[in-house]
Amino acid sequence: MRPLKWEPWFNPEAEKTTALAWIYFPALSPNFFVKESLFTMEKEVGNPLHVDMATKKKSRPSSAKVKVEVDILRDFPKRNNVGIKKANSGEIIST
């Protein structure tokens, strides 16, 4: 079984190449727990849909989760490096 995004014109006979998946960010710095930041990072994997409730409420500070719609036929990145850009110099600091 593969979870799919609901569509009113769903045809169970047609094979889909997309699926829904939860992407997990372990040890993410709390300043990245904003929906816009998480969605920007998720665009590398697929189409971000929403964050889970614990991430939204910041009740699980050790990690964040985002639900994305992914094309299962494409190659996925193994790692997504995140950095902070300094306002005064433009230098990017890796976190």
Side-chain angles (χ1 to χ4, degrees):
M1 186 171 98
R2 185 172 70 215
L4 301 171
K5 189 167 131 182
W6 185 85
E7 297 173 343
W9 52 87
F10 176 72
N11 178 0
E13 302 299 320
E15 185 63 31
K16 300 288 259 175
T17 62
T18 59
L20 300 178
W22 284 100
I23 304 297
Y24 174 71
F25 290 99
L28 187 65
S29 179
N31 55 328
F32 290 112
F33 275 52
V34 181
K35 179 181 174 182
E36 292 77 15
S37 295
L38 292 167
F39 275 26
T40 299
M41 290 184 274
E42 283 307 314
K43 287 183 181 178
E44 294 293 318
V45 177
N47 180 29
L49 301 174
H50 67 272
V51 298
D52 74 326
M53 192 58 69
T55 301
K56 188 181 289 187
K57 291 184 175 183
K58 297 175 180 68
S59 63
R60 185 186 54 236
S62 62
S63 63
K65 287 184 182 178
V66 180
K67 185 185 265 186
V68 295
E69 183 179 25
V70 296
D71 181 357
I72 57 177
L73 298 180
R74 70 176 279 224
D75 292 330
F76 297 107
K78 301 273 189 251
R79 180 177 299 264
N80 192 354
N81 293 328
V82 178
I84 299 173
K85 188 176 188 179
K86 287 185 173 182
N88 55 354
S89 68
E91 177 187 3
I92 296 178
I93 302 170
S94 192
T95 58

